[in-house]
Amino acid sequence: MDAADLQPPVYIHRVVDGELDELFTSLAAVAVEGAKAVGKTATAAERARTVYQLDQDEQRSLIAADSARLLQGDRPILVDEWQRMPSSWDVVRRAVDDPRTTAGSFLLTGSASAPPEENLHSGAGRTVSPRK
């Protein structure tokens, strides 16, 4: 294996980066949603200091046992693939309602829509997405 194979991929800046950075200065939570494999996680991870990957069974199990774990860690906190555990959206929504939560605290990435069987709060007035 060549040393170059061990290097992490170089982040490629996207058009949404500037808008996301602007939103993040005034909003506590921003959702980055869209089609599969377009760079949502990579874009959000560039800003995050703590990452929860809810497509990993172990992390999902830990959060299911104690949902407050999603609020632990250095901020910004990235909740990746939030739709795999829809209750995570409500945990973040409640944190955003707390007046002590500052701008730039949470990023949520996932598919553009929640699973249809879930009754999910929209996040209206709390969580926004960059314009598409």
Side-chain angles (χ1 to χ4, degrees), residues 15-123:
V15 173
V16 73
D17 282 309
E19 185 175 352
L20 184 56
D21 289 341
E22 185 177 327
L23 288 171
F24 224 38
T25 63
S26 60
L27 299 170
V30 176
V32 181
E33 301 172 325
K36 185 176 179 178
V38 296
K40 298 177 300 292
T41 299
T43 297
E46 281 292 301
R47 291 148 181 84
R49 296 185 65 202
T50 302
V51 178
Y52 293 103
Q53 296 176 314
L54 298 185
D55 59 344
Q56 294 184 359
D57 292 338
E58 311 82 40
Q59 286 195 11
R60 218 172 33 256
S61 293
L62 287 171
I63 301 304
D66 180 10
S67 62
R69 285 181 183 264
L70 273 181
L71 308 177
Q72 296 174 357
D74 293 333
R75 294 185 181 182
I77 296 173
L78 167 56
V79 182
D80 187 36
E81 301 293 346
W82 71 265
Q83 80 283 355
R84 299 289 300 266
M85 186 175 206
S87 61
S88 63
W89 183 273
D90 287 328
V91 171
V92 171
R93 178 182 55 85
R94 284 190 299 275
V96 169
D97 285 346
D98 184 332
R100 296 170 293 179
T101 300
T102 60
S105 289
F106 298 98
L107 288 154
L108 296 99
T109 60
S111 64
S113 62
E117 69 276 3
E118 294 294 332
N119 183 11
L120 188 66
H121 186 282
S122 69

